[in-house]
Amino acid sequence: MVIKKSYLLVFTLLIFGNSFAQNSEDLLNLLVQRKIIKKSEADSLRTMYTAKQADKVKEKTLLVDLQMKNRVEYRNGYGNIPADYSAASTFVNQRSRLTMDYKQDDLFNAVVSLQDARVWGSHDPKGLNGTIQLFEGYVEPSITPSLSVRIGRQRIVYDNQRLFAENDWRVNATSHDAINFRYHKKNLNSELVGAYNQTSERNFGTDFTPAELSITPTSSTASTWTNYKVLAVNYLKYDFNQAVAITTIIAADAYQDAIIKEQNYWRFTYGGRLEFKYKNWYATTNSYLQTGRNNTGKTINAWYIQPEVKYNVVNHYSIRLGAELLSGTKGQSGSVDHSFTPLYGVAHRFNGFMDLFTKFPSDISNVGLVNPYLFINKNLGSKIDLSSQNHLFYTQRNFITNTNQALTKFMGYEHDLVVAYKPNAYTNIETGFSVTFPTETLTTLKKTGNPDRIATWAYVQVKFTPRIFKSNFN
């Protein structure tokens, strides 16, 4: 009975933390001296104590990551075909981002990510105007081991990023203020997102009419901006096996009427993607329908489809052949809007690096887009990747001019050549050159540019992403 009580006392002291560590050691020595326990048993208890403390150290983790990205660009047709007297532009942009990530087992996660995004020389180095932004700032407590809820400013990134993307190419990227219920278990991943935007705290009514002037990376002139008032998204991905997977996205976003603040126009987008893998082959079909009303109240009836096949030889090369089809509206007006809008996704990786089509449907005057593409990627050793991307651009519907002239559907051809070099795990050096051969249809739809001029663009980007601090602690 004495021995059992002694063991119970020892274990009680061992359960406590470092504040009782010395007392536990003194007690063990005393028990050994009085021959209540053997030295080997005391050593065993010390080992158990050390292991328990080691487990506690692993419970909490703090990670600090740094991202520094600089890109110099030469633009002579990026975004728009050059006009007769257009001059080329050259600039350097920079993103400096610091991310702190705190994890406590699988129970709690918190992220704060601060960034400075600028064009070199765009801010007075002697001025007091700050440019620090909160890119992400959220907490994520776990409800169960498989279910958590993320609350705050966060990235919303789904599937191949066609509808919801981080837009990492932009110097400031994209994030949302939202709440996100996240479920991850075995072959099933699902998320349910909700967001509700207001201009300010109010006592009565609702109003999302941003009055704050904003300077964007593409414009130094401060201007008003708009965004959704309400957003709801359900994302689900299920892997049947290693060969077959299905993804679904159901999204509803609402925009406020310009005059009646309490009236919202809801747009609904729903569909998904089917993926199939077999040996070196990969095939997929991505399709969505869009209904509801656009931000002017007009009824929407639009669609999107993207079939693709890919052949991949690991560590050698890959070939991707596919097409994007976004429905458009016949003519310049009508009672129904047939123009598909790819919500808050990325266009840069889908419709060419020249970013001729990023603002849908205005960049194509509502007539839709057909974009067959061929991508060829080649590994030149373990650190260098070469990519050749080819795009043909057509309108989905015929465009009729004000003089009742029907333009040809062919808008032009674009080629993007990219070389990426990764000397180590945290450094990525990338350079690219793009050229577009436009037609009169493209310049007419874009309302600018000379179809006889060739558009060119080039860049060099250096990106560093080191982890500068990691600590496991209790």
Side-chain angles (χ1 to χ4, degrees):
M1 181 64 69
V2 175
I3 295 178
K4 289 184 178 180
K5 289 183 178 179
S6 300
Y7 271 115
L8 180 59
L9 179 59
V10 171
F11 279 117
T12 300
L13 290 173
L14 289 177
I15 288 172
F16 290 99
N18 294 329
S19 61
F20 286 92
Q22 187 59 49
N23 291 337
S24 300
E25 182 64 25
D26 293 341
L27 180 58
L28 286 174
N29 292 332
L30 180 61
L31 293 174
V32 171
Q33 291 173 4
R34 296 188 176 183
K35 299 183 179 180
I36 297 176
I37 64 173
K38 298 179 181 179
K39 184 177 183 301
S40 59
E41 292 173 327
D43 291 340
S44 178
L45 289 172
R46 291 189 182 96
T47 302
M48 291 172 58
Y49 174 80
T50 303
K52 184 176 181 61
Q53 292 304 107
D55 289 339
K56 287 184 178 180
V57 168
K58 296 178 182 179
E59 287 181 356
K60 300 175 183 178
T61 304
L62 178 62
L63 307 174
V64 181
D65 293 314
L66 176 67
Q67 182 186 112
M68 298 290 293
K69 185 173 76 168
N70 290 93
R71 184 169 67 236
V72 55
E73 294 189 40
Y74 167 86
R75 294 182 176 181
N76 194 21
Y78 175 92
N80 283 298
I81 304 303
D84 290 334
Y85 302 103
S86 298
S89 69
T90 304
F91 61 88
V92 181
N93 63 32
Q94 176 172 317
R95 177 199 298 167
S96 307
R97 181 183 293 171
L98 187 67
T99 301
M100 292 163 284
D101 188 348
Y102 169 79
K103 301 179 186 293
Q104 182 177 343
D105 282 341
D106 296 325
L107 302 177
F108 184 80
N109 184 30
V111 169
V112 175
S113 182
L114 304 175
Q115 70 178 17
D116 173 85
R118 65 175 64 224
V119 173
W120 281 10
S122 61
H123 296 277
D124 184 357
K126 301 181 293 297
L128 296 176
N129 296 330
T131 60
I132 299 298
Q133 304 170 330
L134 178 67
F135 177 60
E136 285 192 293
Y138 64 81
V139 294
E140 186 177 355
S142 295
I143 302 172
T144 71
S146 301
L147 178 63
S148 64
V149 54
R150 181 175 292 182
I151 308 169
R153 174 156 289 193
Q154 58 191 277
R155 289 173 287 183
I156 299 179
V157 182
Y158 294 137
D159 195 32
N160 60 3
Q161 300 195 40
R162 194 58 183 110
L163 296 186
F164 292 91
E166 178 183 354
N167 284 297
D168 190 62
W169 176 259
R170 296 178 187 168
V171 65
N172 55 336
T174 300
S175 56
H176 304 252
D177 299 317
I179 181 171
N180 185 356
F181 294 89
R182 300 159 57 86
Y183 180 84
H184 301 277
K185 189 172 183 180
K186 294 183 179 179
N187 298 338
L188 176 64
N189 293 329
S190 184
E191 298 185 17
L192 181 63
V193 174
Y196 184 73
N197 293 329
Q198 289 290 282
T199 304
S200 62
E201 297 181 3
R202 299 174 62 86
N203 292 330
F204 300 101
T206 65
D207 183 17
F208 184 58
T209 311
E212 175 191 41
L213 298 181
S214 176
I215 296 176
T216 68
T218 58
S219 175
S220 59
T221 302
S223 61
T224 58
W225 52 277
T226 186
N227 195 9
Y228 57 79
K229 185 175 183 178
V230 188
L231 175 68
V233 186
N234 175 242
Y235 160 80
L236 184 146
K237 181 176 182 180
Y238 184 76
D239 296 306
F240 292 95
N241 49 50
Q242 293 184 346
V244 181
I246 187 171
T247 298
T248 64
I249 296 177
I250 302 173
D253 55 340
Y255 282 77
Q256 180 175 286
D257 184 81
I259 299 175
I260 306 174
K261 307 304 182 183
E262 303 295 333
Q263 180 171 318
N264 301 318
Y265 296 119
W266 285 88
R267 175 176 56 187
F268 304 96
T269 306
Y270 42 93
R273 190 155 70 98
L274 180 65
E275 299 174 90
F276 177 75
K277 301 176 184 178
Y278 178 74
K279 294 184 178 179
N280 293 346
W281 290 93
Y282 169 83
T284 183
T285 298
N286 197 15
S287 59
Y288 291 92
L289 294 176
Q290 205 162 69
T291 59
R293 296 181 181 274
N294 64 19
N295 58 2
T296 64
K298 184 179 290 188
T299 299
I300 302 173
N301 185 6
W303 53 266
Y304 167 91
I305 186 170
Q306 182 212 6
E308 179 182 293
V309 62
K310 177 180 179 180
Y311 181 77
N312 182 52
V313 178
V314 180
N315 297 326
H316 286 77
Y317 66 91
S318 66
I319 300 175
R320 292 172 55 195
L321 178 64
E324 262 208 329
L325 295 86
L326 291 80
S327 66
T329 299
K330 184 178 181 180
Q332 296 180 329
S333 63
S335 59
V336 178
D337 182 2
H338 294 285
S339 298
F340 185 89
T341 301
L343 299 184
Y344 312 100
V346 60
H348 188 80
R349 67 168 65 179
F350 287 92
N351 304 132
F353 284 10
M354 297 285 277
D355 283 343
L356 295 169
F357 311 103
T358 59
K359 296 180 285 294
F360 288 91
S362 60
D363 274 346
I364 47 178
S365 294
N366 299 290
V367 292
L369 176 67
V370 177
N371 173 203
Y373 57 83
L374 173 65
F375 295 172
I376 302 174
N377 297 316
K378 173 68 176 176
N379 301 116
L380 303 178
S382 61
K383 298 181 178 181
I384 302 178
D385 293 325
L386 176 65
S387 175
S388 173
Q389 303 185 9
N390 303 270
H391 297 267
L392 294 174
F393 299 120
Y394 299 83
T395 62
Q396 194 269 321
R397 305 297 294 263
N398 285 111
F399 182 81
I400 309 299
T401 66
N402 294 330
T403 60
N404 208 31
Q405 175 188 0
L407 298 178
T408 177
K409 289 187 175 182
F410 182 57
M411 291 187 289
Y413 164 75
E414 177 179 331
H415 178 250
D416 306 318
L417 180 65
V418 179
V419 180
Y421 173 57
K422 298 180 181 179
N424 51 53
Y426 56 85
T427 306
N428 189 343
I429 303 173
E430 184 176 296
T431 182
F433 175 78
S434 298
V435 58
T436 297
F437 300 91
T439 68
E440 183 181 356
T441 300
L442 179 58
T443 55
T444 301
L445 296 180
K446 298 282 287 183
K447 301 180 179 64
T448 183
N450 183 345
D452 295 327
R453 293 195 62 177
I454 298 174
T456 57
W457 173 65
Y459 74 95
V460 177
Q461 176 176 280
V462 182
K463 184 177 180 181
F464 299 96
T465 56
R467 172 158 292 170
I468 59 177
F469 181 79
K470 178 179 181 180
S471 176
N472 296 324
F473 58 96
N474 182 18

